[in-house]
Amino acid sequence: MATFEENLQRLEQLTGDIKRSDISLEDALKDFEEGIKLAKGMEGQLDKIEGKIQILMNEPSPMAKDNPPQMDLFNDDSEVNGTRR
């Protein structure tokens, strides 16, 4: 799978090709279709990245005064809040 940067480079290449005056209509259409597919895939990648950023931005700071570390995350699964299940 190509990286976002590789897809962007390919999309820029397709855009440049379509703008050429000597390109046939069939080739321009083929490049356009490929560009649309690339753009949609890149939009999906950006949506995933944006979702991750939103999650990170909404997480409280790990060492803030009002947010002490949650040590119970490291306790045995059978024990919750100091009591056994």
Side-chain angles (χ1 to χ4, degrees):
M1 180 178 204
T3 66
F4 184 85
E5 291 80 9
E6 291 168 338
N7 286 337
L8 182 59
Q9 184 177 17
R10 177 66 180 147
L11 188 57
E12 289 171 347
Q13 180 184 13
L14 290 168
T15 302
D17 289 347
I18 289 172
K19 291 179 182 179
R20 288 189 356 240
S21 61
D22 63 338
I23 190 170
S24 70
L25 183 59
E26 292 81 19
D27 287 341
L29 181 59
K30 186 170 45 170
D31 287 352
F32 182 77
E33 287 176 327
E34 183 181 347
I36 292 294
K37 289 177 185 177
L38 277 173
K40 286 182 180 182
M42 292 168 68
E43 185 178 19
Q45 288 175 311
L46 286 175
D47 288 344
K48 286 180 184 179
I49 292 168
E50 183 180 4
K52 288 179 183 180
I53 289 171
Q54 289 297 323
I55 289 169
L56 292 171
M57 294 297 293
N58 291 324
E59 285 184 358
S61 299
M63 295 306 289
K65 291 180 184 178
D66 60 341
N67 184 33
Q70 300 294 318
M71 299 308 286
D72 62 321
L73 296 174
F74 302 103
N75 289 340
D76 182 82
D77 287 335
S78 63
E79 187 176 321
V80 176
N81 295 329
T83 60
R84 295 246 176 224
R85 286 198 219 185

